[in-house]
Amino acid sequence: DAKTTQPPSMDCAEGRAANLPCNHSTISGNEYVYWYRQIHSQGPQYIIHGLKNNETNEMASLIITEDRKSSTLILPHATLRDTAVYYCIVRTNTGGFKTIFGAGTRLFVKA
Amino acid sequence: DTEVTQTPKHLVMGMTNKKSLKCEQHMGHRAMYWYKQKAKKPPELMFVYSYEKLSINESVPSRFSPECPNSSLLNLHLHALQPEDSALYLCASSRRGRGLTNEKLFFGSGTQLSVL
């Protein structure tokens, strides 16, 4: 499985864009990049995923570099409710159905 | 219905007790998962069921016994647990399809387990 590296914590001002980076330099050609977040005392919540192209949905945008070795999750207008741990995961298809969580980034959105 | 429902939300048990955690989904998903999460740590994969068959056991001690009676239900039977097993136990499900790499997991809110 490709490993991911994320900063342990980040701050963001309410209303500003939050840009969360993730490095996955050993990603394979058929592996997708997923992002989940976990708000305190809740289960993780799927945000977005992508393979090569940039993706956008109602929650966020995902920018993947051309070499696919890194990506950035963008929350365009962060709110206090976006304070959470954000996990960048590379999803493997070998050996079954493993989604393995790394340490993640703790995002603090401040008023 | 896009929910994964876990019961109970909280459980306190002694080291000699036998208890069970329950997880249910009605999204037609054919893969179901158990994760364990200690405080301030990421979730750790324990078991994966695919089409009601156990496909992954991440070397979990035998005091944890999973069961998948049907495609909507997943249980985790607990027996002779230790205090260090106290954690948040999360259930998840996904659609499942052979060869797919783009599957998202839907998580329940978890069962907070305390072993005394």
Side-chain angles (χ1 to χ4, degrees):
Chain A
D1 297 356
K3 287 185 167 38
T4 62
T5 305
Q6 298 178 253
S9 66
M10 294 182 63
D11 290 344
C12 178
E14 189 179 22
R16 304 297 293 269
N19 297 285
L20 292 94
C22 179
N23 287 321
H24 31 78
S25 58
T26 59
I27 192 170
S28 299
N30 65 346
E31 289 178 319
Y32 284 70
V33 180
Y34 284 79
W35 284 83
Y36 288 81
R37 74 179 182 184
Q38 187 172 24
I39 295 170
H40 182 62
S41 299
Q42 297 182 21
Q45 175 191 24
Y46 165 84
I47 301 173
I48 199 167
H49 74 277
L51 182 63
K52 295 181 185 178
N53 301 320
N54 299 337
E55 302 287 345
T56 295
N57 63 20
E58 65 279 2
M59 290 182 69
S61 295
L62 174 60
I63 309 297
I64 302 174
T65 58
E66 192 170 342
D67 63 8
R68 303 210 325 123
K69 292 185 177 182
S70 65
S71 60
T72 301
L73 178 75
I74 301 172
L75 309 178
H77 305 287
T79 71
L80 299 179
R81 288 176 295 180
D82 293 321
T83 293
V85 179
Y86 287 78
Y87 296 102
C88 169
I89 296 165
V90 173
R91 177 73 157 79
T92 184
N93 196 37
T94 59
F97 321 114
K98 292 187 178 185
T99 292
I100 305 298
F101 289 79
T105 296
R106 191 169 296 271
L107 176 69
F108 295 94
V109 180
K110 300 183 175 180
Chain B
D1 183 2
T2 58
E3 274 196 357
V4 174
T5 303
Q6 289 189 245
T7 54
K9 293 196 181 305
H10 302 275
L11 179 63
V12 179
M13 62 184 292
M15 290 188 284
T16 59
N17 292 158
K18 286 185 181 180
K19 297 286 184 183
S20 296
L21 310 184
K22 179 181 172 182
C23 173
E24 202 163 3
Q25 57 87 15
H26 297 287
M27 295 178 279
H29 289 174
R30 301 309 297 273
M32 296 186 77
Y33 309 73
W34 282 114
Y35 283 82
K36 172 183 177 179
Q37 186 174 25
K38 302 282 278 184
K40 298 192 183 302
K41 297 290 187 182
E44 297 176 25
L45 183 64
M46 300 175 72
F47 302 104
V48 181
Y49 274 82
S50 179
Y51 293 91
E52 295 92 68
K53 294 191 188 309
L54 183 64
S55 63
I56 294 176
N57 176 342
E58 292 285 87
S59 302
V60 178
S62 60
R63 58 186 184 268
F64 295 91
S65 175
E67 178 195 22
C68 190
N70 58 59
S71 60
S72 300
L73 192 55
L74 184 67
N75 298 319
L76 186 63
H77 302 297
L78 313 173
H79 174 54
L81 294 193
Q82 303 297 310
E84 58 265 29
D85 296 320
S86 298
L88 180 67
Y89 288 85
L90 293 160
C91 174
S93 69
S94 67
R95 184 166 53 94
R96 177 71 2 240
R98 296 197 185 282
L100 286 179
T101 60
N102 55 343
E103 284 205 356
K104 56 186 181 183
L105 269 61
F106 291 77
F107 282 84
S109 295
T111 295
Q112 187 64 54
L113 175 68
S114 296
V115 182
L116 304 180

